[in-house]
Amino acid sequence: MKRLFATTFLLLLLSACSSDSENFNGDETQYQTIYRIPVVVHIVHNGEAVGSGANISYAQIQSQIEVLNEDFRRRIGSNAFNENEAGADTLIEFFLATEDPNGSALEEPGIDRVDGGRSEWPKGFLRNPIETSLKPFTIWDPEKYFNIWTVNFGGFASRDLLGYAQFPDESGLPGLNVDNGPDNTDGIVIGYKYFGSSEKGNFPDLIAPYDLGRTTTHEVGHWLGLRHIWGDGDCTYDDYCLDTPLSAEPSYGCPVDKITCTELEMTENYMDYTDDGCMNVFTLDQMDRMHAVLETCPRRKELVVLVQEPMY
């Protein structure tokens, strides 16, 4: 039952790409397929100078991309490395786009600065200007760019909000709807005070304990088809990954030896609600779900760039 979501296409592709080939020295080298995703970050501000308030700096954006690549590749020597037997290098990477939709080179790779004309952006069920106006009017082609918006969350409806994501469509995966939203809102939204890592630069507006970039890692997980580790319910609910233990609730802070169902919980998983400094695991089954999304889902499959990387 494990590795349930690896598709026939993936198996054939990896088989072709993993075959031995000879280099110029006569050595045999094996390769693995890397899924690379081009990113544009729409920095939504209210007229602040670059590097001030919601108009965050290019360095802060770079720090977040570094965190994503550490987390999704389980980089040795980074906060993302773990020795969990279910832990995975997901083979997914992110890079800042170099051209705008017109094909012109971007002065700041991967960045679109947007004066949103308001100091706060609420998110609510009855009226959500992020979904109804901001996203549709600023989104870049979601078949060519992974769209991320950074905003200043505010108002009662967004008081405790760190970020949110749009799930993929037509994945065929259990636990996901067929239709999860229109193409002109596809992407994730992150509060600018939680975007980037305080360990990679001087970004004074970042708020601990959510200052190491894991809010974005968590929301990208949703964008790639992952459910919360506790399945959004009690012990009878699941996240549809066999290698993530059941949990009856989200975890906060940095709990250890926590059990609410029958097994020790994986509170270090990126899809829980623990503090940034406590997260460092995506599992093999979570990896398989994300690969299935990148291979089959509208906008995801057109977006991803496949490259070959030597296996060491």
Side-chain angles (χ1 to χ4, degrees):
M1 292 293 292
K2 289 190 176 182
R3 313 299 299 278
L4 182 62
F5 305 106
T7 65
T8 302
F9 170 80
L10 176 61
L11 292 173
L12 292 172
L13 180 61
L14 289 179
S15 176
C17 296
S18 297
S19 60
D20 291 347
S21 59
E22 294 187 1
N23 63 23
F24 291 110
N25 296 319
D27 297 330
E28 292 185 343
T29 303
Q30 288 188 321
Y31 292 85
Q32 59 190 353
T33 299
I34 308 300
Y35 299 74
R36 303 198 74 228
I37 298 174
V39 176
V40 59
V41 181
H42 307 280
I43 303 173
V44 184
H45 58 88
N46 191 35
E48 299 97 330
V50 173
S52 176
N55 200 0
I56 56 181
S57 67
Y58 181 55
Q60 188 167 337
I61 301 296
Q62 287 180 306
S63 77
Q64 181 61 72
I65 300 301
E66 289 178 18
V67 169
L68 286 177
N69 287 326
E70 290 170 355
D71 291 351
F72 280 81
R73 293 301 311 271
R74 195 171 67 163
R75 297 286 191 201
I76 296 174
S78 75
N79 292 335
F81 184 71
N82 66 80
E83 295 181 343
N84 191 304
E85 63 180 10
D89 167 3
T90 71
L91 306 178
I92 298 170
E93 296 181 354
F94 304 83
F95 65 97
L96 292 169
T98 58
E99 295 182 348
D100 68 15
N102 296 318
S104 299
L106 289 165
E107 183 176 344
E108 295 179 292
I111 292 181
D112 174 37
R113 297 188 183 273
V114 178
D115 189 338
R118 59 189 299 163
S119 60
E120 296 179 341
W121 289 89
K123 177 184 182 293
F125 292 107
L126 297 179
R127 182 176 181 274
N128 182 4
I130 297 175
E131 298 296 306
T132 59
S133 59
L134 176 62
K135 282 183 172 184
F137 285 103
T138 59
I139 193 169
W140 291 9
D141 185 350
E143 291 189 359
K144 297 180 179 178
Y145 304 91
F146 171 27
N147 287 265
I148 300 176
W149 289 265
T150 63
V151 303
N152 183 29
F153 285 128
F156 178 78
S158 300
R159 182 172 54 191
D160 299 318
L161 184 63
L162 305 183
Y164 69 97
Q166 182 167 311
F167 283 99
D169 294 339
E170 302 177 24
S171 69
L173 295 172
L176 294 181
N177 296 328
V178 174
D179 183 359
N180 287 291
D183 56 3
N184 67 356
T185 60
D186 198 359
I188 68 173
V189 184
I190 308 293
Y192 84 92
K193 297 177 182 179
Y194 317 107
F195 193 83
S197 172
S198 62
E199 291 186 348
K200 297 180 181 297
N202 180 25
F203 313 123
D205 287 342
L206 291 178
I207 297 178
Y210 309 111
D211 60 337
L212 300 180
R214 267 51 191 279
T215 294
T216 302
T217 298
H218 178 102
E219 298 304 337
V220 173
H222 284 318
W223 184 78
L224 290 173
L226 300 185
R227 297 287 303 268
H228 286 133
I229 199 76
W230 67 97
D232 298 296
D234 58 24
C235 296
T236 64
Y237 289 76
D238 191 15
D239 66 347
Y240 305 97
C241 293
L242 296 178
D243 55 6
T244 57
L246 290 174
S247 173
E249 63 186 17
S251 296
Y252 299 92
C254 292
V256 294
D257 300 328
K258 181 183 177 185
I259 300 175
T260 57
C261 294
T262 60
E263 302 175 75
L264 184 67
E265 295 175 20
M266 192 182 286
T267 56
E268 66 272 30
N269 195 280
Y270 293 115
M271 302 314 294
D272 207 338
Y273 276 174
T274 45
D275 293 350
D276 279 17
C278 304
M279 294 180 170
N280 70 350
V281 173
F282 281 124
T283 69
L284 294 166
D285 286 350
Q286 287 177 321
M287 177 187 73
D288 286 343
R289 278 182 73 96
M290 292 189 283
H291 285 187
V293 165
L294 289 172
E295 293 159 18
T296 63
C297 294
R299 299 182 296 277
R300 308 292 189 273
K301 64 183 179 181
E302 292 86 4
L303 174 68
V304 69
V305 178
L306 300 178
V307 300
Q308 302 307 309
E309 175 186 271
M311 297 177 64
Y312 299 104

